[in-house]
Amino acid sequence: MPRRLIHFIHACSALLLLISHPGWAAEQPQTADLLLEAPYRRAYVVMQRLPDWVSRGQATSTPVARVETGGRSYLLGHLCKPHDCDNNQLDIVFAADGHAAWGLLHTRPNERQPFLQSWLGNPDQEMQALLLQNHAALNPPTP
């Protein structure tokens, strides 16, 4: 097929899309601008929420362990959603003096699915390794 014909077909296709969806021809808002508009702002806030069992601290938990890394002392713990520990977990590290915390939230719909993991508190590589190790120690592979 000649190159000019291919370009013409692509141009016609694009024109048909713009005619059938006139809103697409107008300039689209920037994503950050949507965060300021009422319906999008509410959805954005809901999206950022932690699950209730995390935000309210209503969880099954382990005793904390005092750990040392990089010459500093931390408290390492583990929480899970009551009656659904296999699928909803949070590993958490607190600075010993309480000035900072980092976490790794693990969620999945069921045991057959992999965990979706979300870092909380912007942990550095050292904290990430500590959180991952804690999770692995409390979730041994099943045979």
Side-chain angles (χ1 to χ4, degrees):
M1 190 177 290
R3 196 174 225 181
R4 294 180 112 186
L5 182 57
I6 292 172
H7 289 296
F8 177 74
I9 291 171
H10 287 175
C12 288
S13 298
L15 183 60
L16 284 174
L17 278 174
L18 290 176
I19 290 169
S20 64
H21 300 297
W24 288 4
E27 184 177 329
Q28 295 297 311
Q30 294 293 312
T31 305
D33 294 337
L34 290 181
L35 303 181
L36 304 175
E37 295 180 23
Y40 305 104
R41 179 75 187 149
R42 282 189 295 277
Y44 181 67
V45 168
V46 168
M47 176 195 74
Q48 295 178 77
R49 279 193 198 138
L50 292 171
D52 283 344
W53 65 270
V54 173
S55 59
R56 293 187 178 153
Q58 296 174 335
T60 302
S61 64
T62 63
V64 296
R66 187 171 295 276
V67 296
E68 300 263 338
T69 184
R72 295 191 175 166
S73 184
Y74 298 95
L75 300 174
L76 177 62
H78 182 84
L79 305 167
C80 65
K81 181 179 180 180
H83 311 293
D84 196 13
C85 280
D86 287 345
N87 299 315
N88 294 278
Q89 303 175 25
L90 174 65
D91 291 284
I92 190 163
V93 176
F94 290 99
D97 64 3
H99 80 277
W102 305 271
L104 180 54
L105 180 63
H106 316 266
T107 59
R108 63 183 177 187
N110 59 57
E111 291 86 7
R112 294 182 308 278
Q113 300 293 319
F115 278 110
L116 171 65
Q117 296 180 313
S118 303
W119 297 111
L120 306 173
N122 198 25
D124 61 19
Q125 287 185 339
E126 190 173 35
M127 288 298 119
Q128 289 178 10
L130 191 58
L131 291 162
L132 287 168
Q133 288 168 3
N134 194 56
H135 181 72
L138 295 169
N139 291 276
T142 54

